[in-house]
Amino acid sequence: MRLLAFTLLLGSAWAFADDRPLRFSVVDSWAMPLAHIEDGKLTGGILFELFSETARQVHRAPAFHLLPRARVEQALLSHVVDVRCYVAPSWTEHEFHDYRWSVPLMVQRDLLVSRAGLKGELQSLTGESIGTVLGYHYPRLQPLLDNGRLTRDEARNQELVLKKLQIGRYRYAISSEIALNWFNRSLPKGERLTPASTIEETPLACMVLDSPEVPADEILKALATLKADGTIERILSHYR
């Protein structure tokens, strides 16, 4: 992973030092395979590869701004970051008229996950504590929380949510499919966590600041090309 990170950074357009870096937002609660964060810095993972390749395509060096999830939207409103990725319009509280949306780049498939092969639909559960990531909004879960049928048991990131499920803190958790597969990759078959049901599938994209200092058209074109030519699929395949 360190070699890959070093190679990608060398491949970034350091020769274009006259242009300021392209600033990407990084949520400090992201975990692998989305992001490897070490000593407060993004050093690997799916989004590290995507950000680095996007910056290379537009001849900018990437700069990674590590932020708590609750501060990401304020950073956008203040134009502290140029690009926010792995996001859907339904996940944002503001419309952000100064930002433009890319084409959908990947799909997040959210699952209800269980131990020991338990099955069940989220809407059919009652009296359960559901493992969730602190600060994440779950549209399908919220009505069940509001009427008191279910409660949340939160952890700081997706990996910790799954670890708590593994040791039996609760019987069900919500996880993306890619995070579940990453978590299970080194576990014996009989100990792996399993999908109880699919909750929803959400197309995810990037938001790009439309500003004289940011080549928004080039960035959006680069992202569309990375999707169309299979680069994003190849990045995802590294973590399956």
Side-chain angles (χ1 to χ4, degrees), residues 25-97:
S25 64
V26 177
V27 180
D28 65 1
S29 62
W30 281 344
M32 286 295 288
L34 280 186
H36 184 259
I37 298 172
E38 185 175 11
D39 297 329
K41 297 179 181 179
L42 178 66
T43 59
I46 292 169
L47 295 180
F48 175 85
E49 292 196 44
L50 175 61
F51 295 166
S52 298
E53 182 59 24
T54 302
R56 190 186 72 81
Q57 291 284 333
V58 298
H59 310 295
R60 296 285 184 104
F64 307 125
H65 285 242
L66 193 67
L67 298 163
R69 176 166 294 276
R71 290 179 52 195
V72 172
E73 294 209 353
Q74 183 56 52
L76 294 175
L77 292 170
S78 304
H79 296 176
V80 172
V81 294
D82 303 320
V83 184
R84 179 189 182 188
C85 289
Y86 208 78
V87 63
S90 61
W91 294 3
T92 64
E93 294 183 4
H94 301 87
E95 293 189 14
F96 298 105
H97 297 293

Side-chain angles (χ1 to χ4, degrees), residues 17 33 76 102 106 114 126 148 176 190 231:
L76 294 175
S102 74
M106 60 189 77
S114 69
T126 301
S176 67
T231 298

Side-chain angles (χ1 to χ4, degrees), residues 88-92 108 110 122-123 132 135-147 150 152 174 199-202 204:
S90 61
W91 294 3
T92 64
Q108 175 163 296
D110 286 323
L122 183 64
Q123 290 78 9
T132 59
Y136 276 32
H137 177 60
Y138 300 90
R140 300 294 178 88
L141 175 62
Q142 194 58 47
L144 304 176
L145 300 173
D146 293 341
N147 65 23
L150 300 175
R152 291 178 66 156
I174 297 176
I199 297 175
E200 62 181 330
E201 297 183 358
T202 307
L204 302 179

Side-chain angles (χ1 to χ4, degrees), residues 112-124:
L112 184 66
V113 181
S114 69
R115 297 170 63 236
L118 289 175
K119 297 297 181 180
E121 300 287 338
L122 183 64
Q123 290 78 9
S124 67

